[in-house]
Amino acid sequence: MDSDEQDPSGYRLSGSGSHDVNDKFLEQIGLYRKHTAPDASCLFRAVAEQRYDVQLHHDRVRRECVAYMRANRTRFEQDIDRDFELYMESMLQPESHGTLLELKALALCHGANVLLYKPNTDGHWVVNDPSHDRMWRMFVDRNLHFDTIYTMEYMRTAALCQAIVYEVLYKSVLRLPDVDFAVEVMLRGVCGTAEVQDHGETVARAIDGRRLPLCRNVANTSCALSIPQLCHFHNPDGFELVQQYFNVHGTVEGCRKYIGEHFPSRADMQSPLLPVANVSCVQQLLSMGIAPISYTAAKALDPHMYRNTELDSWLATHVEPPFQGRKASPVDNTPEPQQPVIVDETVCLDPPQRQEQQLTTPDMFKPPLGLYDRTGRMYQAVYVDPAGNFLPILTPMPIPLEGIASEMKEPRQEVIVDETLVGTDYPAYLKALKSSKTPGTMVDLKALSALYR
């Protein structure tokens, strides 16, 4: 099957736009390569995801590997060309790269058979023991960088689960209106005009015929702006006074009064007001060419796209080129070829044609000197487009979840989460989970499902 064809279920196997020949080769045989962070822990991240469903435990996996190799020294010592204990101490350090030897040790430790793929070759068994009850598919390139391999069927399920988690976040926690409509417009660039049904519901038609209900009631929704007074939809009673102040004193003075002193002022500044009373803030922002949520979030909300959130989170904290090939050992002075840095990874499994609109996203903006805090749980910023025009005060995405997590009643651990699923240090896991840079996992999806019943 050609990589750009659709499979019988209607899913397109190569919507990611990847030009990597290894990815395309794997797609042709129904497999998906999930890239791991290009650092020294790539092997342990990949194994942690295979074993514990989350890459967060890569340090734990590294320690398990060393402990198993020490306990079975006679099995591995002959494959190490230096002092065994020095090698073990070195392998405990986060800057030390795992090799095929460590992969074999981890497979034996966890009772897993490993099918390893290399560039443009079919997989071969690194470990194949009939007594093992697990199977790991892995990919290794010529620089000894390890990635996880999944079947496309598994990725369809993962994309659906990811969309459910993000839907709970944006619809039930953040309570943004018209999230589905925003995803359709942002990812495909087109959406049918609004139409009123017989029972009074207003809907829009997606390009594949799906009905997208549009919000016409402010109840149980929150504004996409950090200052909802500027939105007529979410400020029906007081908006006329705000608009009158802007009309009388001008945009600059209006922004100074309602936003504060820290905003970039221009004589030809665009008004930040969203003036339509019966159209949600999300729809109004989209009509202005402004994305109410990030493209990363929109892709994660689409059940036919899988977003590699672990890699996104890692890249967000590494602004400099993070990896220049496998680090040579103290006794190896041979320079390694450079590993290209991955900038984006989304696998698209969606049959409709994707036509991204040129919307202005928060990632394109430069924040001013000051940050604004409306609710104590979300940090806001003022943004200016590349032409210098003032834009409404948007909530940057992804939103830090520290405050949100503190406001929610913590569920009883024995009811929702089995501590053994997240490792031995359960409090540390919960602390890390409160950070917006920590990706959610299947364990967290189970907790959210029980929380919202």
Side-chain angles (χ1 to χ4, degrees), residues 1 4-15 152-153 156 188 208 304 348-353:
M1 178 186 298
D4 290 328
E5 294 182 8
Q6 292 183 358
D7 71 2
S9 64
Y11 288 92
R12 192 187 316 149
L13 295 179
S14 66
M152 294 302 294
E153 191 61 36
R156 294 185 184 96
R188 296 174 183 91
D208 59 353
H304 301 297
C348 177
L349 307 169
D350 193 8
Q353 184 178 2

Side-chain angles (χ1 to χ4, degrees), residues 157-171:
T157 304
L160 178 60
C161 293
Q162 184 180 73
I164 292 173
V165 172
Y166 272 76
E167 185 174 327
V168 169
L169 173 62
Y170 280 86
K171 293 183 179 180

Side-chain angles (χ1 to χ4, degrees), residues 241-418:
L241 293 177
V242 176
Q243 189 174 42
Q244 182 179 3
Y245 190 93
F246 272 80
N247 293 337
V248 173
H249 299 282
T251 300
V252 174
E253 192 60 34
C255 291
R256 183 171 289 113
K257 174 178 175 61
Y258 289 97
I259 300 173
E261 298 292 336
H262 300 291
F263 69 92
S265 61
R266 289 170 55 95
D268 56 347
M269 183 180 297
Q270 178 184 352
S271 172
L273 301 179
L274 301 181
V276 185
N278 62 345
V279 177
S280 72
C281 50
V282 168
Q283 291 185 59
Q284 293 186 64
L285 290 171
L286 290 169
S287 67
M288 298 166 62
I290 302 172
I293 60 178
S294 70
Y295 275 106
T296 300
K299 292 173 182 177
L301 280 159
D302 191 321
H304 301 297
M305 287 186 181
Y306 178 79
R307 188 73 185 178
N308 191 342
T309 55
E310 290 90 351
L311 182 60
D312 284 343
S313 300
W314 187 90
L315 291 172
T317 59
H318 293 74
V319 295
E320 297 181 355
F323 181 53
Q324 303 296 330
R326 181 171 59 89
K327 184 176 180 180
S329 66
V331 297
D332 182 9
N333 297 321
T334 305
E336 293 287 347
Q338 198 174 63
Q339 174 80 3
V341 177
I342 305 165
V343 295
D344 178 36
E345 184 184 354
T346 302
V347 57
C348 177
L349 307 169
D350 193 8
Q353 184 178 2
R354 177 178 163 207
Q355 301 173 343
E356 288 194 0
Q357 230 179 5
Q358 294 300 317
L359 299 179
T360 308
T361 67
D363 297 335
M364 298 169 57
F365 303 147
K366 295 182 179 180
L369 297 178
L371 293 177
Y372 299 87
D373 186 1
R374 169 167 63 91
T375 64
R377 70 182 185 183
M378 302 179 190
Y379 295 95
Q380 319 298 338
V382 181
Y383 296 102
V384 184
D385 69 9
N389 297 317
F390 175 83
L391 295 173
I393 317 305
L394 299 178
T395 301
M397 300 295 180
I399 296 176
L401 301 180
E402 292 86 345
I404 297 178
S406 65
E407 289 185 14
M408 297 175 61
K409 181 181 293 185
E410 187 171 355
R412 290 191 305 150
Q413 298 173 4
E414 67 272 20
V415 174
I416 295 181
V417 178
D418 181 358

Side-chain angles (χ1 to χ4, degrees), residues 43-44 47 61-62 64-66 68 76 101-112 136:
L43 168 64
F44 306 106
V47 172
V61 171
R62 183 187 287 270
E64 289 175 348
C65 177
V66 171
Y68 183 83
F76 302 103
L101 182 62
E102 283 70 46
L103 175 58
K104 180 180 179 181
L106 285 167
L108 295 173
C109 175
H110 293 285
W136 300 342

